[in-house]
Amino acid sequence: MNSNLFTSTLLKSLHILDCFTNDQQEIGIKELAKQIDMPQSSVYRIVQTLEFVGLLFQNKENKKYRLGPKFIFLTSKLGYLDACQRIVVKHMEALGRETGETVNLGILNCDEITYIHRIDCQHVLRPSFELNASYPAHKTGLGMVLLAELDDSELQYVYQNHAEDLGTSYNEFLALMQKIRQDGYAFDDQIFCPGLRCVAAPIAGLGGKAIFSISVSAPITRMDDSTYQATQRLVLKYALAASEEILGMD
């Protein structure tokens, strides 16, 4: 398999930006290098480029960096995606009312899944993953349904980076992706977190390609096999309804 599938410098640049959780957080070169496991000299060169285009901004007093003013310009372009998210959240709220469980919204970030919204349930025992935090996509239902949308070269990249953790051959990994793609959903049975089950489905955007995924997650004590089957049908129902409404905007 080809080990040079993507531009590594660009990927590292995106990983650097991912280190910032908001525009008030300041991080120095040494800490950035540690977080993304890269030499400080290389991080410094990338950071200089990101600062030049306005994606990062340096505090001259402490020499640390924070997100730059270019993000104001970039976020002003998100009218379509904001509308899509509002539609999905509306259907998530309905799904939460019908299942009585936590509903999650995620986006794919390379080989990670980022939780961007959550509808909490009323149970004391409930999942509570950190919003805007990223987790290995191959360990979550939210991530697996979006990984299944990737092409072969992208799946090669994911497998190469997580082969040991996946514990399967590349062909077995591809077969799993194909099954998820055909089924239209993914089931995480205590893979990401012991005692927790999750069923997820993709939300389609322009052209039918998935842009989000939603899931219902609950402790196995409340999601036995029969409850899982009913939850699966509801997740598919609301994912399809949200996708149809988004596609109907055009």
Side-chain angles (χ1 to χ4, degrees):
M1 290 184 290
N2 183 4
S3 61
N4 298 307
L5 299 169
F6 304 106
T7 305
S8 60
T9 302
L10 179 56
L11 286 175
K12 289 294 186 181
S13 299
L14 296 173
H15 289 328
I16 286 173
L17 293 175
D18 281 341
C19 292
F20 296 86
T21 58
N22 58 61
D23 62 0
Q24 294 180 325
Q25 182 183 16
E26 294 186 339
I27 310 177
I29 295 293
K30 183 177 181 179
E31 185 179 349
L32 286 170
K34 182 178 180 180
Q35 287 193 42
I36 68 170
D37 191 23
M38 191 175 181
Q40 291 185 44
S41 58
S42 299
V43 170
Y44 181 69
R45 288 195 297 270
I46 294 174
V47 165
Q48 280 189 309
T49 303
L50 293 173
E51 184 182 17
F52 178 69
V53 299
L55 291 173
L56 288 180
F57 177 84
Q58 187 185 46
N59 181 333
K60 297 299 183 182
E61 293 183 356
N62 60 21
K63 306 301 183 183
K64 293 186 177 183
Y65 294 84
R66 61 169 62 194
L67 296 178
K70 185 66 171 289
F71 280 94
I72 298 173
F73 171 69
L74 293 175
T75 55
S76 69
K77 298 182 175 184
L78 297 181
Y80 172 76
L81 290 172
D82 280 343
C84 291
Q85 184 171 341
R86 287 194 297 271
I87 288 171
V88 176
V89 169
K90 177 183 66 177
H91 289 281
M92 288 173 62
E93 291 170 346
L95 178 58
R97 288 192 296 271
E98 192 157 356
T99 61
E101 297 294 352
T102 297
V103 184
N104 310 287
L105 175 64
I107 57 172
L108 192 64
N109 176 17
C110 295
D111 52 355
E112 297 182 328
I113 189 73
T114 302
Y115 286 72
I116 62 173
H117 192 76
R118 181 175 63 241
I119 306 297
D120 283 320
C121 68
Q122 298 302 310
H123 299 285
V124 175
L125 181 60
R126 62 190 181 194
S128 184
F129 305 122
E130 183 180 353
L131 289 180
N132 300 314
S134 296
Y135 303 92
H138 65 278
K139 287 189 172 183
T140 71
L142 275 180
M144 292 292 277
V145 291
L146 294 179
L147 289 179
E149 296 271 332
L150 301 181
D151 62 28
D152 287 348
S153 63
E154 292 167 326
L155 288 175
Q156 283 184 27
Y157 174 85
V158 174
Y159 184 79
Q160 288 173 359
N161 280 275
H162 302 284
E164 184 175 351
D165 197 27
L166 284 164
T168 64
S169 70
Y170 180 60
N171 287 336
E172 289 171 332
F173 176 62
L174 287 183
L176 174 60
M177 294 295 100
Q178 179 64 21
K179 183 178 188 308
I180 291 173
R181 196 177 302 127
Q182 291 175 343
D183 292 342
Y185 68 90
F187 179 44
D188 167 13
D189 189 3
Q190 307 182 78
I191 297 173
F192 181 51
C193 180
L196 187 70
R197 280 181 158 183
C198 166
V199 57
I203 305 292
L206 186 66
K209 184 176 178 63
I211 53 176
F212 304 109
S213 56
I214 61 171
S215 71
V216 170
S217 52
I220 193 171
T221 54
R222 294 200 304 270
M223 192 184 286
D224 58 19
D225 290 346
S226 61
T227 304
Y228 154 67
Q229 294 292 338
T231 303
Q232 171 201 312
R233 290 190 291 271
L234 288 172
V235 170
L236 287 170
K237 169 188 169 183
Y238 284 101
L240 178 60
S243 298
E244 289 178 342
E245 188 170 345
I246 288 172
L247 294 173
M249 290 195 304
D250 301 314

